[in-house]
Amino acid sequence: MSLAGLLPIFANDLQLATAVELAAAAGTQPHELVGPPSLRPVLAALLADPGRGGRTVVAVTATTRDAEDLAAEIRGFLPTAEVVEFPAWETLPHERLSPTHDTVGRRLHVLRRLAHPDRRDPSTGTVRVVVAGVRALLQPIVAGLGELEPVVARVGDGPGLEAIVDALAAIGYERTDLVTARGQFAVRGGIVDVFVPTDDHPLRVEFFGDDVDEVREFSVTDQRSTQVVERGLWAPPCRELLLTPAVRQRAQALVPEHPELADVLSQLGEGIHVEGMESLAPVLADGMQTLLDVVPADSLVLLCEPERIRRRAQDLLVASEEFLAAGWHSAATGGAAPIDLREASYRSLDQMAERAVELAIPVWSIAPFGLAETGDDERAARPIVGYRGDVSRALNDVARRLRAEDRVVLITAGHGPAQRLAEQLADRDIAARLVDSVDTPPVAHVAHVVTGPLRRGIDMPSVGLLVLTEADLLGSTSVVGRDAARMPSRRKRGVDPLKLSPGDYIVHEQHGVGRFVELAQRTVGGATREYVLIEYAPSKRGHPPDRLFVPTDQLDQVTRYVGGESPSVHRLGGGDWTKAKNSARKAVKEIAGELVRLYAVRHNAKGHAFSADTPWQRELEDAF
C-alpha cells in the first residue's frame, strides 16, 4: 500500500520544493508553511526523504489521536519501520500512578533506536520520522534511557536461560506462572515465555542447553505456539525507572527526610516495584531530559497546527501545576513539606523553543490559517470539498481531470471498496487501473485506484494532481484506515459524560467503582476546565463521601459499570478495588483453562471448507 510514487510529483510544487531546499541546507531558522491538513504527511515525508538530503523529522500534533493518524499517513510514503510514534504517559507526571507496560515499552523502543539504531533489522534500525503528541514532547524523561540495552536472543546465541531470566527481571519485566499481559515473562523447564510490550503477540524462547534453539510466537488464549520469529527476541525495558543499586540507595537515604513516603521508599530500597514509583524519578534518577535532547543533531521539529498545540500545552501545564499546588497547600496548613518533584513537570512550549535554539534544531510549522490569503491563487494546494456520497458527481470530476491530462489517484481503506470503485469507473467508461501500490509516479489519462492510509485527499493544481480518499467520496472514514490493532480498547468503550445521570455507577481504572455526581468546572491559574465529579465511599465511618475530580481529557480511564446488579462503592486508596481485580484475574485464568480444553476438542473435530471470499463480501467486511 505504498504511495511513495506520489512524492516526486508533490516535490514539484513551489512551496514544497522551497521547503525541501531549506531543510537540505541544514539551516536552523524557523519556517512557516500554510496548507490543508492533508499536506502534513506529504511535507513530513519530503523533509525526511533521504534521497532529498532529508533530516530526522519530529512531527508534533495537539493530541495522541492526531499523532496516531499522522504516523499512519506518513507510512504511506516512507518505509513503515522508519516512522515511529513516541507515545505519552496515560498519567500526569506527579500522579502516583505508573504508565502501562505497553506505553513504556513503545517509548523505550523509540529512544533506543534513536540512540543506537541496529541496521541488521529494519524494526530496530534508523528512524526517519518521530510523531509525538505535544504531551509527549513536553514531559521530561529520565536521562540515559536510550542507553538501556534490550534483552536480545537469536537462534544460535548462547546467553543461557538463567542469563536471559536475570536480564528480563533487571529491566522491569514481571515474572509470573502464565504470561497473559505485556511486560510479563514465565519460565517452564527450558522455555522462557516473554510478552514484549512492543509486540502484538508474546514470544516463546526454547533453549537447547545454553543455546537458543527456536523463537516462536504463541497465543495468549490457548498458550499454543504459532509461527517462527526469524529475528528472535528483542525486548526493551518496560519501566522508565529501573531499581538499580544507585536508585535503591537513594531511596533508602530519603526515608528519614520524608517519613510520609517511608513505605514507598523502603520498598524501592529493597528492590520492590511500587505503583507510581515513576513520579519519584527526579530525586532517584541521574537527571531528566526531553525528547529534543535525544533526537539526532540534524533533526527538524514540525509543529502541525501550532495554535491547537499551544492551547493543549497550556491545559497540560495547568493540570500539572494543580498536583504540585495541592502538596504545598497542605504544607501551608501544617502538613509536611512535599518532596521536590518539579523537575518532572511539563515544560512550556517557550522552554522547548529555547532548548531547540540551544541544540540548533529548527522549529517549523504548518497550519491551515492563511488559506484565505492564498485563495486567489488558483494553483495553490487546497482541501477536497467532500462529495457526501454523491459518487456520480465525483466520477464526473475525475473524468474531467483526466481529460485535462492531470494525474488522479483514488484511495480506499480496504480492498473491497477499491474493487467496487474500479468497477464503477469502468461502468462510466473512465480509464482506471486497480493497483496494489503507487511506487512510481502514476501516468496521466488513467485513474489509479489503490488502498492506502490517507484519511483526506488533496487537490494540487500546481502539479496537476488530484488525490481523493474514501472519506472524501462517502463522508466517513473506515476504521480500517487507522491502525485498528493499535487502537486502545478503553477508547472504544469510553464514557460520554453528557449521557450520564447523577447516581450512575462508573468505574475508574485506578480507583474502582464510584457514583457520577455532575460535570463541574474549576478555574486554576486563570484557566477553566471541565471535570467529571465521582463520589466514593467515605474513608472513615461518619465522614462525608470522598470525591474525585477527573479532567474530561482523561475520560479514557473511566467507563460505565456494566454489572448486572448494584455494586458496592469503593473507597479511595482502599484495597477493595485491588482485591476485586485480583479475583477477576483468577477467574480469567480458570476460564482460560476451560478454553484450552475446548480448543483441543475443536482442533480434533472435522472442519468444513467454505468458498473463497467475493469482492462484494470483502466490501461489506471493510465497511464495518
Side-chain angles (χ1 to χ4, degrees):
M1 296 188 293
S2 170
L3 303 174
L6 297 180
L7 284 183
I9 302 175
F10 281 114
N12 290 328
D13 176 75
L14 179 60
Q15 180 181 216
L16 294 177
T18 302
V20 171
E21 290 177 4
L22 289 174
T28 60
Q29 295 300 315
H31 187 59
E32 297 180 359
L33 295 97
V34 173
S38 47
L39 199 62
R40 296 170 197 160
V42 175
L43 175 62
L46 286 172
L47 295 176
D49 187 1
R52 296 178 171 81
R55 311 171 68 159
T56 303
V57 175
V58 181
V60 182
T61 63
T63 67
T64 300
R65 176 65 173 273
D66 291 341
E68 293 173 353
D69 289 338
L70 179 60
E73 291 179 302
I74 297 174
R75 290 187 184 108
F77 300 102
L78 296 177
T80 299
E82 295 181 1
V83 182
V84 298
E85 301 166 39
F86 186 71
W89 286 6
E90 306 88 351
T91 62
L92 293 173
H94 303 299
E95 282 186 287
R96 296 295 166 80
L97 299 172
S98 294
T100 64
H101 292 318
D102 184 8
T103 298
V104 172
R106 291 168 59 199
R107 286 165 59 89
L108 296 184
H109 190 183
V110 173
L111 295 177
R112 180 64 183 181
R113 289 183 62 183
L114 290 172
H116 300 283
D118 183 357
R119 292 173 177 81
R120 293 176 297 176
D121 183 354
S123 65
T124 57
T126 302
V127 172
R128 296 290 178 190
V129 181
V130 180
V131 186
V134 66
R135 184 172 184 166
L137 178 71
L138 302 183
Q139 181 178 355
I141 55 181
V142 174
L145 290 182
E147 302 301 321
L148 297 178
E149 294 189 7
V151 175
V152 179
R154 297 185 176 91
V155 174
D157 290 350
L161 185 146
E162 291 299 327
I164 292 292
V165 169
D166 293 341
L168 289 171
I171 60 174
Y173 284 76
E174 177 189 3
R175 184 166 182 170
T176 62
D177 296 331
L178 190 70
V179 170
T180 58
R182 289 181 171 87
Q184 295 180 344
F185 75 98
V187 181
R188 295 179 292 107
I191 296 175
V192 179
D193 290 345
V194 187
F195 204 155
V196 179
T198 55
D199 290 347
D200 294 329
H201 302 283
L203 300 180
R204 178 160 291 154
V205 184
E206 299 183 18
F207 286 84
F208 184 79
D210 287 336
D211 296 336
V212 177
D213 185 52
E214 191 175 58
V215 180
R216 286 180 173 270
E217 289 183 350
F218 70 91
S219 171
V220 171
T221 54
D222 59 11
Q223 298 290 306
R224 304 178 92 173
S225 298
T226 54
Q227 62 184 0
V228 173
V229 180
E230 297 294 342
R231 63 179 176 83
L233 171 68
W234 198 93
C238 57
R239 285 192 179 273
E240 295 189 26
L241 180 62
L242 299 181
L243 298 181
T244 62
V247 169
R248 293 170 60 180
Q249 185 177 359
R250 290 181 189 132
Q252 289 284 18
L254 287 172
V255 172
E257 301 177 27
H258 298 280
E260 75 280 5
L261 296 174
D263 290 344
V264 173
L265 293 172
S266 296
Q267 291 184 70
L268 295 179
E270 295 172 3
I272 302 173
H273 293 100
V274 179
E275 177 69 18
M277 55 185 275
E278 289 80 5
S279 64
L280 300 175
V283 294
L284 296 179
D286 295 320
M288 307 292 286
Q289 56 187 183
T290 66
L291 180 61
L292 294 185
D293 295 301
V294 300
V295 296
D298 68 337
S299 296
L300 179 150
V301 174
L302 178 63
L303 302 179
C304 302
E305 286 195 276
E307 288 303 317
R308 281 189 65 212
I309 289 174
R310 186 168 294 278
R311 290 196 300 269
R312 176 61 176 156
Q314 182 59 35
D315 290 343
L316 290 170
L317 289 175
V318 170
S320 180
E321 289 302 318
E322 284 183 356
F323 277 86
L324 285 177
W328 288 108
H329 176 75
S330 175
T333 56
I339 192 168
D340 188 1
L341 302 175
R342 284 173 292 185
E343 279 299 308
S345 299
Y346 290 120
R347 304 293 190 255
S348 68
L349 273 184
D350 291 338
Q351 289 175 316
M352 297 302 294
E354 292 173 2
R355 185 57 180 158
V357 171
E358 295 172 1
L359 297 171
I361 296 177
V363 178
W364 289 22
S365 65
I366 178 170
F369 304 110
L371 287 176
E373 300 172 5
T374 60
D376 295 334
D377 185 0
E378 295 181 355
R379 309 293 290 172
R382 48 181 179 258
I384 301 297
V385 178
Y387 293 94
R388 299 185 179 277
D390 190 352
V391 179
S392 178
R393 180 165 64 91
L395 297 183
N396 289 336
D397 287 347
V398 168
R400 176 176 56 82
R401 295 296 290 267
L402 290 176
R403 288 194 296 270
E405 299 186 357
D406 286 343
R407 295 178 172 91
V408 178
V409 178
L410 305 170
I411 302 174
T412 65
H415 293 285
Q419 291 176 329
R420 178 61 179 157
L421 185 56
E423 292 173 1
Q424 290 176 306
L425 288 166
D427 292 341
R428 292 290 192 96
D429 293 326
I430 299 174
R433 182 181 301 166
L434 180 62
V435 296
D436 295 329
S437 61
V438 183
D439 295 319
T440 58
V443 298
H445 304 294
V446 178
H448 290 68
V449 184
V450 64
T451 59
L454 291 192
R455 301 177 63 241
R456 296 289 178 183
I458 188 170
D459 188 1
M460 298 282 289
S462 62
V463 294
L465 176 65
L466 174 66
V467 178
L468 296 177
T469 68
E470 191 174 344
D472 299 325
L473 299 175
L474 304 179
S476 61
T477 303
S478 170
V479 75
V480 179
R482 303 187 187 101
D483 193 352
R486 284 283 187 192
M487 188 175 293
S489 59
R490 64 171 64 95
R491 181 191 297 166
K492 302 171 188 175
R493 55 183 173 83
V495 66
D496 183 355
L498 299 179
K499 296 181 179 179
L500 294 174
S501 301
D504 285 351
Y505 291 104
I506 54 180
V507 184
H508 191 282
E509 185 176 357
Q510 303 296 335
H511 304 294
V513 180
R515 290 189 185 90
F516 171 72
V517 178
E518 61 180 359
L519 274 174
Q521 288 189 341
R522 299 176 69 188
T523 302
V524 179
T528 301
R529 303 178 68 201
E530 282 196 337
Y531 296 79
V532 170
L533 180 57
I534 307 176
E535 185 176 89
Y536 287 89
S539 56
K540 294 182 180 179
R541 185 172 299 176
H543 285 230
D546 287 339
R547 291 190 165 191
L548 177 70
F549 288 86
V550 180
T552 52
D553 60 357
Q554 296 180 26
L555 288 182
D556 56 351
Q557 299 188 39
V558 180
T559 58
R560 277 184 177 273
Y561 177 77
V562 293
E565 55 187 42
S566 297
S568 299
V569 177
H570 294 122
R571 289 185 301 167
L572 284 177
D576 294 339
W577 177 234
T578 301
K579 291 178 181 178
K581 289 194 291 185
N582 290 338
S583 177
R585 291 192 184 99
K586 182 179 178 181
V588 167
K589 287 184 178 181
E590 294 175 356
I591 294 173
E594 294 293 335
L595 288 174
V596 169
R597 289 187 286 272
L598 175 61
Y599 289 143
V601 173
R602 288 183 175 178
H603 180 74
N604 294 325
K606 187 177 180 179
H608 174 74
F610 290 89
S611 58
D613 293 352
T614 65
W616 295 97
Q617 180 178 342
R618 297 184 69 177
E619 180 179 357
L620 175 64
E621 293 169 351
D622 290 338
F624 279 91

